[in-house]
């Protein structure tokens, strides 16, 4: 099967990804185009992909920052032997609607467990509860994994917690301290959003079922790209500085960990992951507020049940909440008392 020919704009972006300056004449020769054609295609490409281009008189063009584009061969090379054995199929896309959408459709078409999808950019990336996930080209990681189980969807309670532990553990091993998990599936660094998980499951009540775990992780996110984010955020560039791993190496480490976790969850359930969850748990000993439908409930966080449900001690007694039903924010501190002369 012949490899599809890349659009000219994407070919130009790949040539400029090193961050060096490239003359229009050299680009034109490499792609057998006129210099005017290069100029036109390049400016359309950077606009389409949301990139910033510098034009330097007498020297040529360069991107304002180098890009490490996703490379299937590099990712496969970084996988452990066990990870490679669990991986059934690796898809790397330049632009798609959503990695989760792609794998949910693939699951219906009988794609095997262990199918993984990545994208340089998503046009319709999604977070929890229908939120938009900001997905600029070539900057972050947008990664989804498909797995299959013999049980029905109800038997997969708490699997988002296990997946969160897998991701947090990888980041910690790569040198990131102060990483925390916020129930049910947010990754934070010093209380700022670093990433998030979106889990989607479908199947028969009694089984079988299939699950797609989507991960969005901020690696290098510029403020102008993050204008649509409605909460404090951070990226690995800030959190790790020069020690931040490359995109391909990190993608492989996360694929390894998620594949192992999804397989293990099917064998042993959530219980072995709960101690690790507690170690990363941002909300320990906190008073929190819980948005449950139209109700806003404030209480003392009381940990996680064996099925993954959140426990909250409230004025009305113990409340249990499951993933997908709530949004959670740290409760604001009580207002300081006013002095008599205020």
């Amino acid at each position: 099967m012949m490899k599809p020919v890349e659009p000219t704009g994407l070919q130009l972006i790949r040539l400029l990804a090193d961050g060096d300056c490239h003359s229009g004449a050299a680009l034109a020769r490499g792609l057998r185009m006129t210099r005017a054609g290069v100029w036109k295609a390049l400016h359309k490409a950077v606009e389409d992909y949301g990139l910033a281009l510098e034009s330097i008189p007498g020297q040529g063009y360069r991107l304002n920052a180098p890009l490490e584009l996703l490379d299937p061969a590099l990712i496969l090379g970084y996988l452990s032997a066990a990870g490679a054995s669990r991986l059934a199929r690796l898809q790397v896309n330049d632009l798609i609607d959503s990695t989760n959408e792609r794998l949910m459709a693939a699951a219906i078409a009988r794609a095997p467990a262990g199918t993984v999808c990545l994208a340089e950019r998503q046009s319709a990336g999604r977070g929890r509860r229908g939120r938009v996930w900001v997905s600029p080209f070539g900057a972050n990681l947008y990664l989804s994994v498909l797995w299959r189980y013999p049980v029905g969807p109800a038997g997969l309670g708490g699997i988002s917690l296990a997946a969160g532990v897998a991701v947090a553990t990888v980041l910690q091993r790569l040198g990131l301290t102060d990483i925390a998990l916020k129930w049910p599936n947010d990754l934070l660094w010093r209380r700022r959003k670093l990433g998030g998980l979106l889990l989607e499951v479908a199947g028969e009540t009694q089984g079988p079922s299939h699950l797609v775990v989507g991960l969005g992780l901020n690696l290098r996110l510029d403020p102008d790209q993050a204008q649509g984010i409605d909460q404090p955020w951070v990226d690995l560039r800030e959190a790790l500085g020069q020690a931040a791993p490359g995109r391909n190496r990190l993608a492989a480490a996360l694929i390894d960990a998620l594949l192992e976790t999804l397989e293990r969850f099917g064998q042993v359930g959530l219980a072995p992951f709960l101690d690790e969850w507690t170690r990363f748990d941002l909300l320990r000993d906190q008073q929190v507020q819980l948005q449950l439908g139209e109700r806003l409930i404030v209480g003392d966080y009381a940990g996680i049940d064996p099925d993954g449900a959140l426990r909250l001690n409230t004025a009305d007694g113990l409340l249990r909440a499951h993933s997908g039903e709530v949004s959670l924010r740290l409760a604001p501190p009580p207002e300081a008392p006013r002095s008599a002369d205020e």
Side-chain angles (χ1 to χ4, degrees):
M1 183 176 179
M2 294 182 63
K3 183 179 180 180
V5 177
E6 290 182 334
T8 301
L10 185 58
Q11 290 177 300
L12 285 165
I13 297 301
R14 291 193 184 282
L15 290 172
L16 294 176
D18 58 11
D20 293 338
C21 195
H22 296 260
S23 72
L27 294 171
R29 285 195 303 272
L31 295 179
R32 298 181 180 179
M33 299 172 63
T34 65
R35 293 182 65 174
V38 165
W39 185 92
K40 182 177 180 181
L42 186 54
H43 282 76
K44 184 178 188 306
V46 295
E47 181 178 351
D48 288 346
Y49 293 120
L51 301 172
L53 179 71
E54 295 181 67
S55 180
I56 303 173
Q59 298 184 48
Y61 307 100
R62 70 180 180 194
L63 298 178
N64 71 335
L67 301 174
E68 183 188 346
L69 299 178
L70 297 171
D71 185 327
L74 286 177
I75 293 171
L76 291 171
Y78 284 129
L79 284 177
S80 69
S85 70
R86 296 184 182 102
L87 178 69
R89 187 179 300 166
L90 178 64
Q91 305 172 0
V92 177
N93 305 273
D94 296 309
L95 172 64
I96 58 175
D97 50 0
S98 156
T99 57
N100 263 36
E101 291 282 355
R102 184 64 59 92
L103 285 197
M104 288 297 285
I108 295 172
R110 300 188 178 182
T115 299
V116 174
C117 179
L118 298 104
E120 294 287 4
R121 184 182 183 188
Q122 299 179 116
S123 61
R126 292 180 293 120
R128 292 185 63 238
R129 307 182 75 197
R131 295 184 180 93
V132 173
W133 191 269
V134 175
S135 307
F137 180 88
N140 304 320
L141 275 184
Y142 322 115
L143 161 69
S144 295
V145 180
L146 167 67
W147 203 259
R148 294 184 179 275
Y149 295 95
V151 300
L156 302 180
I159 196 168
S160 67
L161 307 187
V165 167
V167 175
T169 300
V170 167
L171 295 174
Q172 188 177 69
R173 287 174 179 168
L174 290 172
L176 185 62
T177 59
D178 300 327
I179 182 71
L181 295 168
K182 188 182 73 170
W183 185 92
N185 49 16
D186 284 345
L187 294 119
L188 296 99
W189 183 75
R190 298 181 181 175
R191 301 203 173 191
R192 288 184 286 165
K193 184 75 169 282
L194 178 63
L197 292 153
L198 176 66
L199 283 82
E200 298 181 275
V201 62
E204 303 296 329
T205 302
Q206 301 301 321
S209 59
H210 60 263
L211 169 78
V212 171
V213 178
L215 169 65
L217 191 65
N218 299 332
L219 304 190
R220 192 189 76 245
L221 190 59
D222 294 333
D224 59 338
Q225 296 171 327
Q227 291 179 4
I229 300 177
D230 62 355
Q231 59 184 296
W233 60 271
V234 70
D235 58 20
L236 275 185
R237 175 176 54 181
E238 177 180 345
L240 280 176
Q242 294 299 315
R247 291 175 79 218
N248 289 290
R249 177 186 169 205
L250 181 56
L254 291 167
I255 291 168
D256 251 332
L258 286 170
L259 289 174
E260 178 185 8
T261 294
L262 296 177
E263 181 181 72
R264 187 176 174 216
F265 185 94
Q267 297 166 347
V268 299
L270 179 62
F273 299 97
L274 288 177
D275 284 346
E276 287 296 289
W277 170 270
T278 300
R279 186 165 65 89
F280 291 113
D281 193 348
L282 176 72
L283 301 174
R284 280 182 299 171
D285 305 319
Q286 300 276 352
Q287 186 183 62
V288 298
Q289 59 185 21
L290 184 69
Q291 189 76 43
L292 187 57
E294 298 298 319
R295 299 168 60 201
L296 184 65
I297 303 165
V298 177
D300 294 319
Y301 178 67
I304 302 296
D305 269 347
D307 64 354
L310 174 141
R311 295 165 55 89
L312 195 62
N313 287 322
T314 74
D316 299 320
L318 180 67
L319 180 144
R320 297 176 75 253
H322 289 273
S323 175
E325 299 175 358
V326 299
S327 65
L328 189 61
R329 293 291 184 270
L330 293 176
E335 185 177 348
R338 294 177 179 270
S339 63
D341 56 353
E342 285 187 289

